[in-house]
Amino acid sequence: MVPGIRGGIRHNGGMSFVRIAPRILIGLLITGLVVSARSAELPEAFTTALEQAAIPLDHVAVVVHPLDAAEPVLSHNAEAALNPASVMKLVTSFAALNQLGPGYAWTTEVWAGGDIADGVLNGDLVIKGYGDPTLTLERMWLLQRELRARGVRHIRGDLVLDLSHFDLPALDPGAFDGEPLALYNAEPGALVANFNATTLHLKPGERQVMIVPDIALPGMALTSQLVLEDSTECNGWKDAITPFMPEGEHKTLVMSGRYARGCGEQALSLNLFEPAATFDFIFRGLWAESGGTLSGATVAGRAPAREPLLKFTSEPLTDALTRLNKYSNNLMTRNLFLTLGAQRYGAPATLEKGARAVREALTLHGIPTSKLVLENGAGLSRIERVSADTLNRMLRAAYRSPLFAEFESALPIVAIDGTLKRRFNGSPLTGNAHLKTGTLRDVSALAGYVFTARGQRVSFVMLVNHPNARRSEAAQRALLEWAQAGALSSGVPR
């Protein structure tokens, strides 16, 4: 049975087994012939690699389609609804480019809650976020620079954060896989700074490893239980470290495990706090570094109904999509997904609005959505589903769009950059394919475009849902190389 499709035999009580048995037998024979025929169309190197990985063909979906042709040259299990992992980011990206446009920019608005005189704001500083996922440390510094240019250097009041643009249920960052501190599990938020990353520098000393945060973390204790080893080897140093935050009244981060002296200084980024708390730490840390002061507390509140002192604009959507797809950034995608909903159906942004907006964008381009299941639009999900056929139709619609250059250029290039920088090295594929990767437990996926040796461009989709999915790279390579070599032009598998 194809994963994601349920089926069965409905028994008619009025029909005897003698009459129904031949029909079942004939049906099974026909099914077997169809499966065999479809399997025979697949390149031998590809099917052999799957066999060696112990991955059955009915757990794999494939479409290879020349963009100048009416029909695909390969199509296997194309209608099956499978988990695409991060390949789902392509769907959200396609919807965003078409709904928001390549020049779309987020804003972050700032109000002064009092008079400004001699560099002093006598009142609160109010900041309202609209989900900008591009507020890196550098851009946070630029925001503060613009604030200082408006005469604010010292704040004698509270820092008021307005998070009302997003309306989200309570989220548990560890619910997905029990790794709440992993950066890929960072929650979306109306105000997010530096992808919600808290960066810690590990520095080996005489006898112990010191932990130094990138930005000051007032009220947070950092405890190193790392065993310093006199080794020059540094491979897999992150796997030898276990960060955890014990429950209690005081915030404490403990680092345990082993650390080789040969690693020297390394940086480790973690998802330690909810987005608003991380934003607070980063804002205050950068403000203090520039010589500013902020005397009050940080509180939740609402922005006043008047023009803000400052409207800080993000980088354009095209730049955000490049970082989002090349490095498979979950938080950026989740914020974009929510932004789509708010832009299409009004604030506040909700997950349901985001899903509706994505479906509508696909439907407007004639792309079927009956096999599409959306949770957060990032693929960080056990329930998200899409068919290879839907992905292929979307890739082809993007190719026909005037925004194709923006869409394709945001994808990782094989053996060149992003999540594909170290994949398929030494292959003719190098530099000849823009593909989005997707990896979860039991899931491995690729989708995008391959430029063939014969000058064709083809859309490519391969989804694997199986416990051995991580062993499918050889099969991916075989199928990609077959497509890139231009064998598809003759329609004869090699």
Side-chain angles (χ1 to χ4, degrees):
M1 184 179 296
V2 178
I5 297 180
R6 296 186 178 185
I9 299 172
R10 289 171 54 184
H11 295 279
N12 187 334
M15 183 179 291
S16 69
F17 180 77
V18 174
R19 293 176 60 192
I20 197 172
R23 298 185 184 184
I24 295 174
L25 180 58
I26 292 170
L28 290 174
L29 288 172
I30 292 173
T31 302
L33 289 172
V34 170
V35 170
S36 297
R38 289 176 179 173
S39 300
E41 296 172 2
L42 300 173
E44 183 178 353
F46 169 68
T47 56
T48 299
L50 286 175
E51 289 174 8
Q52 291 173 347
I55 299 173
L57 272 171
D58 61 356
H59 288 258
V60 180
V62 167
V63 177
V64 180
H65 196 158
L67 293 173
D68 58 0
E71 298 294 333
V73 292
L74 287 183
S75 180
H76 174 75
N77 282 352
E79 297 295 335
L82 302 181
N83 190 327
S86 282
V87 164
M88 188 64 87
K89 291 179 173 69
L90 286 180
V91 177
T92 303
S93 298
F94 176 87
L97 267 178
N98 285 279
Q99 179 183 311
L100 303 176
Y104 176 82
W106 289 266
T107 59
T108 301
E109 298 178 340
V110 184
W111 287 262
D115 296 331
I116 302 171
D118 299 324
V120 177
L121 167 59
N122 292 292
D124 299 336
L125 187 76
V126 183
I127 304 179
K128 182 173 183 179
Y130 293 87
D132 181 1
T134 71
L135 279 173
T136 59
L137 285 178
E138 295 80 6
R139 293 197 61 77
M140 284 285 285
W141 181 86
L142 288 173
L143 184 154
Q144 293 189 355
R145 184 174 182 271
E146 290 198 21
L147 186 58
R148 289 193 297 273
R150 285 158 176 77
V152 180
R153 284 173 171 75
H154 304 283
I155 303 165
R156 293 178 181 169
D158 292 336
L159 178 62
V160 180
L161 304 182
D162 185 340
L163 311 175
S164 61
H165 192 67
F166 281 8
D167 181 13
L168 296 172
L171 299 173
D172 176 7
F176 178 71
D177 59 0
E179 298 288 345
L181 303 187
L183 200 54
Y184 59 78
N185 276 325
E187 304 168 37
L191 276 172
V192 175
N194 203 37
F195 316 116
N196 209 48
T198 300
T199 301
L200 307 170
H201 295 270
L202 308 182
K203 299 181 178 181
E206 286 286 330
R207 298 179 180 176
Q208 63 179 3
V209 181
M210 295 176 290
I211 305 173
V212 181
D214 217 15
I215 298 291
L217 302 174
M220 182 82 181
L222 302 175
T223 302
S224 175
Q225 295 180 356
L226 294 169
V227 177
L228 184 60
E229 297 181 340
D230 289 321
S231 172
T232 58
E233 296 293 330
C234 192
N235 293 331
W237 65 271
K238 288 183 180 179
D239 296 333
I241 293 176
T242 302
F244 64 98
M245 297 178 70
E247 292 185 3
E249 294 183 8
H250 303 289
K251 290 182 178 179
T252 304
L253 174 68
V254 179
M255 290 272 205
S256 64
R258 297 172 288 104
Y259 192 82
R261 189 179 296 278
C263 289
E265 181 178 334
Q266 297 285 352
L268 181 65
S269 293
L270 298 173
N271 172 46
L272 295 182
F273 315 107
E274 62 181 14
T278 304
F279 184 93
D280 178 39
F281 278 128
I282 290 176
F283 186 91
R284 287 174 176 272
L286 291 176
W287 191 251
E289 284 180 8
S290 67
T293 59
L294 203 171
S295 62
T298 300
V299 297
R302 289 297 183 102
R306 64 174 188 271
E307 275 296 302
L309 174 69
L310 166 63
K311 288 186 177 181
F312 185 75
T313 304
S314 77
E315 297 174 339
L317 177 63
T318 48
D319 290 353
L321 289 180
T322 297
R323 186 189 294 265
L324 182 159
N325 283 302
K326 285 190 181 289
Y327 300 99
S328 207
N329 191 301
N330 290 321
L331 184 146
M332 292 184 74
T333 315
R334 295 171 76 172
N335 263 33
L336 178 58
F337 184 77
L338 288 159
T339 298
L340 283 167
Q343 287 293 312
R344 182 66 184 89
Y345 301 108
T350 66
L351 293 170
E352 186 272 334
K353 289 178 183 177
R356 283 167 56 199
V358 170
R359 285 180 174 278
E360 180 178 293
L362 267 62
T363 301
L364 286 173
H365 285 80
I367 302 165
T369 61
S370 61
K371 302 295 178 66
L372 182 64
V373 178
L374 293 164
E375 183 179 16
N376 54 44
L380 190 73
S381 169
R382 298 297 178 195
I383 66 170
E384 289 199 327
R385 294 290 186 273
V386 70
S387 70
D389 175 68
T390 293
L391 287 171
N392 177 57
R393 289 171 184 257
M394 186 199 69
L395 290 169
R396 291 173 61 77
Y399 178 69
R400 295 189 297 268
S401 164
L403 302 177
F404 174 64
E406 287 78 7
F407 183 78
E408 184 186 46
S409 64
L411 306 184
I413 306 173
V414 168
I416 298 293
D417 65 8
T419 56
L420 283 173
K421 187 173 184 177
R422 294 179 176 83
R423 294 275 292 276
F424 313 121
N425 293 84
S427 164
L429 294 165
T430 299
N432 285 316
H434 287 74
L435 300 165
K436 182 69 196 76
T437 58
T439 305
L440 290 175
R441 186 189 70 236
D442 302 344
V443 180
S444 184
L446 285 174
Y449 304 96
V450 179
F451 193 76
T452 77
R454 302 188 184 188
Q456 289 178 290
R457 190 185 258 110
V458 302
S459 58
F460 179 98
V461 182
M462 178 176 167
L463 307 176
V464 180
N465 282 193
H466 189 267
N468 292 337
R470 288 182 179 269
R471 298 171 57 187
S472 65
E473 184 170 330
Q476 291 174 345
R477 180 168 181 158
L479 191 60
L480 282 167
E481 289 183 349
W482 176 84
Q484 196 277 328
L488 49 87
S489 297
S490 64
V492 180
R494 296 181 181 177

